[in-house]
Amino acid sequence: MKKVYLLAHPAGHSLSPKMHNAAFKHLGIDASYQAWDVAPEALRQALITLRQPDVYGANVTVPHKVAVFERVDTLTDAAKAIGAVNTVINDNGSLKGHNTDAEGFLKALREDASFDPQGKRAVMLGAGGSARAVAYALLRAGVAQLSIYNRTVQKAHDLEVGFRSLGPVSVLSQLELEDAVQGADLLINTTSVGMARGGVDPNQSPLKAGILPQRGLVCDLIYRPARTRLLRDAEQAGLKIQNGLAMLVYQGAESLTCWTGREAPIKTMFASARSALGETST
Ligand code: NAP
């Protein structure tokens, strides 16, 4: 039996084991996906395990995404641009680091929300790790403008400098935020404000009341709760909304294809992720 690990610390409440094991079963692949609590000092040994012939590879999450980026043998262009690895592929004992968050985000927009970002004006809240993947995805998809607002302004500027060769990207001051949001076709929250576990406050929105786009899609990378305060406000205002579950599923699907060469069973993965979250599968 082949193995896939999720390298995490702690390895608490991830939906990925259920989602991937359901996919392996659906595809008739003799493999198992398991979360592995790896303390930072044990990471070196864990990477040796990933080189074994019975291991397809791994997903990587907090706090190892950058440390793994620095220790694999090769990196894909996406991983290099984003500066972090969320997927490791064991290629005959050589470890390839990849990042599927950008592709996952883009597919979630296109396939699940029927939204094509090409030529659209996007405002992104946040400038952390997931923001780097979202910025990479949107600029490569040809947005007309990507405007970034972050509490710590310097991090937004760093992101702008790192990505300006890919397309039109700028940083918003607090004074500019309201106008930019109102004129946006796409608003994405990549901050942890509104997240239920380990977030700031599940009832808080990253935006002041009343500041919303006048049209288009509002997207929150958070999926616990399924409807954050931001998404509830946007829905009430008649806007289209999407939470982070679709991105989670599509980034996992892309990882599965990297490990196995097979097309991922998206419906099965959605259903198991939703049932693991306690939502009804539709
Ligand atoms: P991260 O690297 O730690 O970045 C956190 C971001 O949130 C930073 O921009 C930070 O701003 C901002 N922030 C935190 N507390 C804040 C507050 N009180 N007020 C304003 N801004 C605040 O985290 P990440 O890895 O990017 O993850 C961010 C969120 O995305 C999490 O909720 C995570 O669960 C979600 N996510 C979802 C998926 C998915 O597949 N759906 C994938 C990845 C991440 P500063 O720079 O000012 O600190």
Side-chain angles (χ1 to χ4, degrees):
M1 175 185 275
K2 287 274 202 176
K3 290 173 196 140
V4 179
Y5 296 101
L6 170 64
L7 307 185
H9 184 64
H13 309 287
S14 174
L15 304 180
S16 294
K18 279 193 178 149
M19 186 171 80
H20 282 286
N21 285 322
F24 288 144
K25 192 172 171 196
H26 179 97
L27 293 171
I29 294 176
D30 185 24
S32 83
Y33 183 113
Q34 62 193 80
W36 186 6
D37 191 336
V38 177
E41 57 275 19
L43 184 61
R44 213 174 70 88
Q45 191 58 41
L47 292 178
I48 292 173
T49 300
L50 297 191
R51 296 178 192 276
Q52 301 309 306
D54 64 338
V55 179
Y56 271 138
N59 274 143
V60 182
T61 187
V62 180
H64 300 306
K65 285 183 170 189
V66 175
V68 169
F69 173 88
E70 288 162 354
R71 292 181 188 193
V72 288
D73 302 307
T74 56
L75 289 164
T76 62
D77 288 347
K80 278 186 210 159
I82 295 163
V85 159
N86 82 336
T87 302
V88 177
I89 301 130
N90 177 13
D91 186 3
N92 293 316
S94 171
L95 299 184
K96 188 202 276 184
H98 184 34
N99 194 309
T100 64
D101 278 341
E103 186 64 21
F105 173 73
L106 211 51
K107 276 207 169 152
L109 280 189
R110 287 181 173 146
E111 313 280 326
D112 189 62
S114 305
F115 185 94
D116 182 357
Q118 188 175 21
K120 304 291 195 323
R121 302 183 70 78
V123 170
M124 178 173 77
L125 309 174
S130 59
R132 295 186 66 83
V134 168
Y136 179 72
L138 290 177
L139 290 168
R140 278 172 53 95
V143 284
Q145 182 67 37
L146 172 63
S147 307
I148 307 167
Y149 176 77
N150 192 48
R151 176 181 63 176
T152 309
V153 182
Q154 187 56 46
K155 277 170 70 178
H157 280 296
D158 292 347
L159 210 152
E160 180 203 9
V161 169
F163 285 94
R164 66 166 64 127
S165 64
L166 293 181
V169 53
S170 58
V171 174
L172 295 169
S173 68
Q174 199 164 8
L175 281 176
E176 294 165 325
L177 180 63
E178 182 167 350
D179 279 354
V181 167
Q182 281 172 352
D185 307 295
L186 173 65
L187 171 73
I188 315 111
N189 176 39
T190 75
T191 77
S192 40
V193 180
M195 190 170 86
R197 288 186 190 156
V200 177
D201 172 354
N203 271 316
Q204 205 177 313
S205 169
L207 288 176
K208 279 193 199 147
I211 304 183
L212 282 172
Q214 287 169 350
R215 57 177 180 274
L217 177 68
V218 175
C219 195
D220 200 324
L221 264 50
I222 295 168
Y223 50 83
R224 273 190 190 114
R227 274 181 176 65
T228 55
R229 176 65 186 271
L230 174 67
L231 292 188
R232 280 184 274 138
D233 290 349
E235 194 172 38
Q236 258 179 16
L239 294 162
K240 211 171 161 193
I241 60 167
Q242 183 184 53
N243 72 14
L245 192 71
M247 174 176 172
L248 180 87
V249 169
Y250 281 104
Q251 64 76 31
E254 162 97 351
S255 298
L256 186 135
T257 298
C258 290
W259 298 318
T260 65
R262 300 279 299 275
E263 196 178 323
I266 294 292
K267 277 190 182 165
T268 300
M269 294 175 82
F270 259 111
S272 68
R274 286 200 178 105
S275 90
L277 266 182
E279 285 182 29
T280 339
S281 177
T282 50

